[in-house]
Amino acid sequence: MPDYLIKNGTIVSSEKTFDNELLISNGKIKAIDKEIKASNSSTKIIDAKGMYIFPGAIDPHVHMSLPSPAGKSSDDFLSGSIAAIAGGTTSLIDFVTPEKGESYLVALEKRKKEAENCLIDYGFHMSPTWWGESSADEIKKCIKDEGITSFKTYMAYKNVLGINNEKLIKVMDTVKKYDALVTIHCENGDLIEYLRNKFIKEGKISPKYHILSRPNETEAEAVNRAIIFSKYTKCPIYIVHVSAKESVEIIQKAQNNKQLVFAETCPHYLLLDDSVFEEDNFELAKYVLSPALRKKEDREVLWKAIKNGNIQTIGTDHCPFNLKGQKDKGKNDFTKIPNGAGGIEHRLSLLFTYGVLTNKISINQFVDIVATKPAKLFGLHHKKGDIKVGLDADIIIWNPDKEEIISSKNHFQNCDTNIYEGFKTKGKPEYVIIKGNIAFKNGKIFKENLKGEYLYRKNNILSY
């Protein structure tokens, strides 16, 4: 692969913004300086005048090929990684979800095979969906042998994925022994099931009842419960897809009390709300995701929490399903609509447009929440998430002036709808470089020489 010298751009890290040149060699960042001489005659020059140079983004929360009764989510690791590249995401963390009673390690090997066609580097959170005599030892092996530093638990979906309080406490008690992290989907599954069943019995079957069956309290109560368990087990936790203002208040209180509680939200909770359900038609099934969309006031609280550092990362929970042939399985019963939507392709452009350009967050915070913090929290800081000599040359050259209107007609993700349909954005990648290879340029994907690798992560949580 050739060396690349990026000139005339403005480098942006989580801490500072500065004008320097950047040299890429053998897939790594080799030099950052005011003036750099080309390493050899074959070095290629990239003129980044008027553009920003960001570290490649890391999406810490995606679901490629997620099984559901309506079929797998519509993006597999190949199409999903193409969408990721187009948006400036150069690494992702997906999930291993063992069946009840299945060895975690056996499930991991199956998942690795599913991810072999991924074009970008990938890691996994392990989901303890059950607990048995061997589970504690398997968690230890995941950490020590497989470089898995995070364990995803569900307080909802108890018939399929979720675990009860006793098992959640056991997971926390085990994980904390190895300085790893428990990530938690916080919803009160029992109350949600009661409300869902109640609405169906009353003949209330349309998509809008999805939101009404998952009120703010179902999330906030579970967040509070998880934080109490964390306090007494002394296990660091990371609460995924925070959506409710009440949850933010509980998280802030725990953080003020010096608990190791971290939080993530998603672009859809920042930019969409329950007003999309004012009409009552099945097309709105594309907005059925969990936790449900909230109100405008929840959005405002989330933005403030990001600015204040109470929410550390923004993942996408990327999990698209086609409206035709998948979401329409629930046309006569909203509980049968597969939950999820796409977002990995648009995360950066949306956050830049509606966050940075509106002064809700600084450009350095932008880099922090999409790249640097995910790398630190999930043990990738030794390879990715920053612009430093020796790190992987995962680089975005960002054109701040490029405008676009998001549409399902021309997006890269494999889905027939888009929850951000019609959103105008300003700012998107001009180039995406992955481990020294140009993967995206002028709107085109270059798959040649791209081969995602499994990421062995390093524990970092206690030095965070």
Side-chain angles (χ1 to χ4, degrees), residues 339-402:
N339 285 207
I344 199 168
E345 182 176 342
H346 309 298
R347 177 176 58 141
L348 271 64
S349 59
L350 290 167
L351 293 174
F352 187 83
T353 303
Y354 298 99
V356 176
L357 297 184
T358 61
N359 296 314
K360 287 185 172 70
I361 55 173
S362 71
I363 196 166
N364 304 100
Q365 284 181 303
F366 167 79
V367 169
D368 197 36
I369 59 180
V370 302
T372 308
K373 281 288 197 314
K376 288 180 177 179
L377 283 166
F378 294 108
L380 295 172
H381 55 293
H382 61 294
K383 294 187 71 173
K384 300 179 185 291
D386 208 342
I387 305 253
K388 290 182 178 177
V389 172
L391 296 190
D392 286 351
D394 292 350
I395 302 291
I396 309 167
I397 300 177
W398 185 266
N399 185 336
D401 298 318
K402 186 162 279 190

Side-chain angles (χ1 to χ4, degrees), residues 229-241:
F229 295 166
S230 168
K231 177 181 177 180
Y232 287 99
T233 60
K234 296 182 170 54
C235 180
I237 61 171
Y238 173 101
I239 299 170
V240 301
H241 49 46

